[in-house]
């Protein structure tokens, strides 16, 4: 308005100016017109086209609050929630809005120093810019939340945001459930098309990872108004611009959480794994990787600390041995050798072999036998005769129609792979290993083009280059139980609201073995029943249940100081029950634990009884559970490494001396109390064995204690 009046005044005045000034006044007029146009144009640009000031104004007046949805719940086969949600709070910061706050006061509330504060703000600016909300302090404790909630108005730019966090009511199944964590820049790069933002949480392992798109739900947004002091006052526009969060879908699993708990208890102080499958469906009933940990340790604001401790633990509690570790299957593999020999017609059930203590067919006297005698198939399985199965293996590969062991092994592998060996089964967990079936090509490289069956006789008894995972071995037991087919082992049976993404379709397909008749399976099942009736498994029968099983003892070596050294044998056992109408197939390994009948077999026996009868009856069997849980079988090399790490840790720590107020009549001296050793097992529900010296990965040591020791009287 003022510009216009001034422009009019100048124009009127020009009429009274002398002629020689007319040209000069016209120039001035033009200049004023140009300036006027520029000013008007800039005003239009700022108010209509430019968003800079609008964004600043909006940020000052409004706050965009992300509403995180509840992740889906996971239930066991009896509809018990094994994974739930609880509410916690994050402290969120928008760095651009924090100017002028009392950082020292905030640091005192959070228990951090100003250097830490500055570093966090700097990292947030780099990762997520200064104008976007980011997590400053995640998953506050109730005490911390209470302190901040009373004082948050003092710190513009900081808000408390509710978040749904995982909770594990049974403290079990950590390795199969997995954990969630805040997404980092690497995760955002890999999943940039999936809508994740800084501050989001996502599944990183286990079922949380495999079913992330089902469990995660959809974020909501709430627009809130700020007052002149940046305090949040309420919804903007009565909430018409808000979007509601959509909770994730729940998963219904085949897991029996009580069976899982029993398995974890039995594997306390041990390294190994257990997998049990329902042969009728392929549903996994339990999946124990030992040592395990309390899954609640990877929630809350201490998660990072606990993760670091477990990550460096020599027993590797974060490592899922059920699907990742590969082992020679040992004598459990003899069941498959017998099936293939029968299917190929090189033997029948009456085929007899006499063993004088070793197999001499290759002139080496290897493999040796622990139980010499004369056996047909049933007795050979029941007594685990190495000579018998070495003979069957050689007869199978050296059939005249094959022309060479090379071709014979290829046919043998076709049978073995149809049982799910040598490739990934497709279990609904990440990081599954494929195991190993050595190929003719592999042996040609080692022994030359004319290699012989005698070069690989150790494979006949499940040693050599044959390797399986424990889930594969359980699947072989399931296939034998079903007499020739299996469903891909899986943990999730159904999804709330339906299988929108087709994640479960592959678990409904039957996989059949290569041309094996029912009579073949009947013969092998006779031998496996003999194992439990009068053979190597007779000492751990399940009362009232006909079990078909097979023990295994596996040699293993480890590299020590650059040399391969023999270690204690692995203990294996595979089984299914009952023989008629099987309901459970199971595989167990205890690393460095000796004979299969000593530890793995008894553990499987207790697990089978628990599942089929819903309890383990009788004092003797209950005592067996407690005895097994208290037995420590941590491998020697792990114990050595644990002791080494503990000694380094102790050397770095200074003794804590409790200050004592002196008294002239009765002086006392503060003496550090030696810390009680934590149990070597990682699960929080430990049996209470305090005699071991191995520290726990998940049971954190108590704070150092001190006692006052009185001086002796003079």
């Amino acid at each position: 308005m003022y510009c216009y009046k001034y422009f009019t005044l100048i124009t009127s005045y020009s009429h009274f100016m002398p002629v020689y000034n007319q040209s000069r006044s016209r120039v001035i007029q033009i200049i004023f017109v140009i300036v006027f146009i520029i000013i008007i144009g800039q005003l239009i640009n700022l108010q209509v086209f430019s968003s800079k000031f609008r964004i600043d104004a909006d940020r000052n007046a409004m706050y965009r609050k992300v509403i995180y949805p509840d992740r889906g719940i996971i239930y066991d086969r009896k509809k018990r929630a094994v994974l739930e949600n609880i509410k916690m709070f994050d402290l969120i910061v928008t760095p651009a809005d924090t100017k002028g706050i009392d950082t020292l006061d905030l640091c005192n509330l959070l228990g951090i120093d100003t250097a830490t504060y500055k570093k966090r703000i700097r990292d947030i600016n780099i990762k997520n810019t200064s104008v976007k909300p980011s997590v400053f302090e995640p998953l506050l404790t109730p005490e911390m939340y209470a302190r901040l909630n009373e004082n948050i108005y003092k710190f513009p730019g900081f808000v408390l945001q509710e978040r749904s966090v995982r909770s594990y009511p049974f403290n079990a199944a950590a390795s199969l459930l997995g954990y969630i964590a805040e997404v980092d820049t690497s995760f955002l790069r890999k999943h940039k098309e999936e809508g994740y933002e800084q501050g989001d949480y996502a599944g990183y392992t286990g079922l949380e990872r495999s079913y992330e798109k089902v469990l995660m739900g959809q974020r909501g947004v709430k627009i809130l108004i700020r007052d002149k002091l940046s305090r949040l006052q309420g919804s903007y526009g009565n909430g018409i611009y808000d979007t509601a969060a959509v909770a994730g879908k729940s998963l219904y699993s085949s897991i029996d959480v009580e069976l899982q708990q029993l398995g974890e208890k039995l594997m306390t102080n041990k390294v190994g794994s257990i997998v049990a499958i329902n042969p009728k469906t392929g549903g996994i009933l339990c999946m124990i990787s030992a040592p395990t940990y309390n899954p609640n340790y990877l929630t809350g604001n201490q998660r990072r600390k606990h993760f670091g401790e477990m990550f460096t633990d020599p027993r590797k509690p974060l490592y899922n041995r059920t699907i990742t570790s590969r082992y020679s299957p040992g004598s459990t593999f003899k069941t498959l050798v017998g099936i293939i020999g029968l299917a190929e017609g090189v033997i029948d059930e009456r085929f007899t072999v006499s063993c004088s203590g070793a197999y001499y067919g290759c002139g080496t006297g290897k493999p040796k036998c622990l139980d010499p005698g004369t056996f047909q198939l049933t007795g050979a399985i029941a007594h685990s005769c190495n000579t018998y199965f070495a003979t069957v293996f050689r007869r199978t590969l050296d059939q005249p129609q094959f022309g060479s062991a090379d071709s014979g092994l290829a046919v043998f592998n076709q049978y073995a792979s149809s049982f799910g060996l040598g490739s990934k089964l497709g279990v609904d967990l990440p990081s599954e290993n494929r195991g190993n079936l050595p190929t003719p090509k592999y042996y040609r490289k080692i022994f030359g083009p004319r290699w012989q069956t005698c070069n690989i006789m150790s494979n006949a008894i499940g040693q050599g280059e044959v390797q399986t995972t424990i889930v594969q071995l359980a699947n072989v037991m399931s296939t034998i139980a079903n007499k020739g087919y299996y469903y891909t082992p899986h943990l999730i049976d159904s999804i709330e609201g339906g299988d929108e993404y087709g994640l479960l379709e592959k678990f409904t397909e039957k996989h059949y073995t290569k041309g094996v008749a029912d009579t073949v399976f009947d013969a092998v099942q006779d031998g496996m029943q003999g194992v439990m009736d009068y053979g190597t498994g007779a000492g751990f029968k399940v009362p009232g249940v006909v079990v078909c099983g097979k023990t295994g003892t596996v040699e293993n070596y480890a590299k020590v100081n650059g040399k391969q050294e023999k270690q204690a044998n692995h203990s294996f056992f595979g089984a299914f029950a009952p023989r008629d109408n099987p309901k459970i197939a199971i595989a167990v390994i205890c690393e460095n634990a000796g004979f299969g009948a000593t530890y793995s077999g008894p553990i499987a026996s207790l697990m089978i009884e628990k599942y089929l009868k819903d309890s383990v009856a009788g004092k003797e069997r209950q005592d067996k559970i407690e005895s097994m849980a208290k037995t420590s079988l941590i491998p020697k090399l792990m114990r050595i490494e644990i002791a080494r790490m503990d000694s380094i840790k102790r050397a770095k720590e200074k003794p804590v001396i409790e200050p004592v107020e002196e008294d002239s009549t009765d002086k006392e001296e503060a003496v550090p109390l030696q810390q009680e050793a934590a149990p070597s097992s990682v699960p929080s529900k430990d049996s209470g064995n305090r005699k071991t010296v191995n520290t726990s990965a998940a049971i954190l040591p108590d704070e150092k204690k001190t006692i006052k020791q009185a001086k002796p009287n003079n």
Side-chain angles (χ1 to χ4, degrees), residues 37-57:
I37 292 173
I38 291 173
I39 293 173
I40 295 299
Q42 182 65 5
L43 288 173
I44 293 172
N45 175 59
L46 292 175
Q47 296 184 35
V48 178
F49 298 106
S50 175
S51 61
K52 179 180 184 296
F53 291 100
R54 186 177 73 250
I55 291 172
D56 289 343

Side-chain angles (χ1 to χ4, degrees), residues 183 187-188 191-198 200 216 219:
V183 298
F187 185 97
L188 292 172
H191 304 274
K192 59 183 178 181
E193 305 299 328
E194 298 177 27
Y196 290 99
E197 297 179 0
Q198 197 77 36
D200 287 351
M216 68 180 291
R219 292 185 305 270

